Amino acid sequence: MLKIVISGSTGRMGLALINAISKDQNFKLIGAVASESNSNIGKDLGEMAGEKRMGVILSSKLSDLPKADVLIDFSEAKFSLHSVEYAKNHNTALVLGTTGHQETDLSYIEEASKVIPLLNAPNTSMGIAYLKKVIDLTSDSLSYFENFQILEKHHKDKKDLPSGTSLDLANFLSERIVREDPINIESERTGDVVGEHKIILSNNQERIELSHKALDRSIYAKGALIGASWLQSKPNGLYSMSDIYS
């Protein structure tokens, strides 16, 4: 049974992760942390997520977390760096699902991966990993297209714009094509949309659309747990979701 601790457990993804762990006997949630100002501090995680009591209380300090096999972070960019530091100092594998990092943050994350196994996953959906796999397998044909565009849609409260997933997809494409201009990303924030991404490849004669639509936020929680299970036996290094099925 894999012992899990969560950073950012009161957000949409944190709660989805608690729900997923409560239904999976392969994982045990032993701790969670949120910011000191969070009104849920001291509450039982199970009750907080609408599940049965787990006997695990939400803490405000990373230092209060017990030793775990994997730390999963779905917090905010600035706070997630504390999770990186904690994981590095406690020799704990880290699944980093948080987005919105700056270049200096990414450099710090890469340095940390030299001493711990670290899965940097702007999107933990296995569907997005599959989409990238399809692009990778056909990358030798991308030169046929002249125009590249990414359209994305998320719920109205999502803070980063463009999303980490779109930036990751744009970078993934840019590494496989000869192009001077950055790939255009168009973003929309509306309602309670879980997440939609569309990659458009086109020229004057043809247009190809590759799309992924998340129907339920639980897919990200499931993917994070798949990632955690896969990561905990890996050597130190920086990994992505695509590496799981490479």
Side-chain angles (χ1 to χ4, degrees):
M1 183 179 292
L2 203 64
K3 296 179 181 178
I4 302 291
V5 291
I6 304 173
S7 174
S9 52
T10 62
R12 294 170 186 257
M13 274 310 308
L15 294 174
L17 196 52
I18 294 172
N19 294 144
I21 293 174
S22 70
K23 298 174 176 62
D24 194 325
Q25 296 182 351
N26 294 311
F27 302 92
K28 182 177 181 180
L29 182 57
I30 62 171
V33 65
S35 64
E36 293 182 353
S37 60
N38 194 291
S39 60
N40 290 293
I41 297 297
K43 293 184 179 180
D44 183 272
L45 297 180
E47 291 183 336
M48 190 178 71
E51 303 286 349
K52 295 180 180 178
R53 286 184 61 84
M54 292 182 168
V56 183
I57 301 301
L58 179 65
S59 173
S60 63
K61 297 179 181 179
L62 280 162
S63 58
D64 291 340
L65 294 179
K67 176 62 179 175
D69 298 309
V70 182
L71 167 61
I72 301 178
D73 184 284
F74 278 109
S75 58
E76 296 181 355
K78 184 177 180 180
F79 190 85
S80 71
L81 298 181
H82 296 299
S83 294
V84 175
E85 181 180 16
Y86 172 89
K88 183 176 66 173
N89 293 339
H90 291 79
N91 194 30
T92 302
L94 173 63
V95 174
L96 187 59
T98 301
T99 60
H101 295 108
Q102 303 298 315
E103 286 298 323
T104 53
D105 301 338
L106 295 174
S107 296
Y108 179 70
I109 291 166
E110 186 173 358
E111 280 298 311
S113 71
K114 295 177 180 179
V115 295
I116 58 170
L118 196 159
L119 178 60
N120 190 16
N123 189 305
T124 54
S125 158
M126 295 312 302
I128 288 291
Y130 176 80
L131 182 61
K132 292 170 72 174
K133 188 77 170 180
V134 170
I135 294 171
D136 206 28
L137 289 171
T138 60
S139 60
D140 58 343
S141 301
L142 290 175
S143 59
Y144 174 71
F145 300 100
E146 299 172 359
N147 304 306
F148 299 83
Q149 185 179 24
I150 295 174
L151 307 181
E152 57 129 332
K153 184 185 295 186
H154 288 276
H155 60 84
K156 60 181 177 60
D157 296 321
K158 187 169 180 62
K159 295 181 179 179
D160 51 333
L161 191 157
S163 69
T165 301
S166 292
L167 292 172
D168 182 54
L169 288 172
N171 182 64
F172 191 80
L173 277 170
S174 296
E175 291 174 345
R176 289 156 178 78
I177 57 177
V178 178
R179 180 185 176 89
E180 294 184 1
D181 297 328
I183 293 175
N184 180 49
I185 300 174
E186 292 189 11
S187 305
E188 182 179 353
R189 298 290 179 264
T190 183
D192 195 35
V193 177
V194 177
E196 298 178 15
H197 296 86
K198 181 182 294 184
I199 298 173
I200 301 174
L201 318 173
S202 64
N203 53 35
N204 291 332
Q205 295 81 35
E206 296 184 87
R207 175 184 173 108
I208 299 292
E209 296 185 1
L210 304 172
S211 64
H212 175 270
K213 184 175 183 178
L215 303 179
D216 191 282
R217 196 163 280 105
S218 62
I219 65 169
Y220 303 126
K222 181 179 179 180
L225 293 179
I226 290 174
S229 183
W230 176 85
L231 184 68
Q232 60 94 24
S233 63
K234 296 300 175 185
N236 300 340
L238 185 62
Y239 301 96
S240 69
M241 292 297 291
S242 300
D243 293 323
I244 296 176
Y245 293 126
S246 61

